[in-house]
Amino acid sequence: MVKISYTIAQAVAASSFSRSRIYEHIRSGRLESFKDGGRRHIPADSLHKLIAEMRAGQSGARAA
């Protein structure tokens, strides 16, 4: 089954970002999140988009 959202711990495991880095991306608005009760979730497409943008930024930095 394909995940459509991750908890913070799952996003950390899936991305290998640290927990604090995940929260930095949320605070900066680069990563969407929502709360369900007391648990914060990150839509999978938002995490994938962030990683794609970071990869694209790296590619642009190499080309310069």
Side-chain angles (χ1 to χ4, degrees), residues 11-39:
V12 166
S15 67
S16 296
F17 293 140
S18 69
R19 182 178 173 87
S20 62
R21 190 73 169 141
I22 292 286
Y23 279 110
E24 285 176 28
H25 288 304
I26 292 170
R27 277 191 300 277
S28 73
R30 293 179 66 192
L31 187 59
E32 284 181 61
S33 72
F34 63 93
K35 287 188 95 173
D36 178 34
R39 185 173 283 180

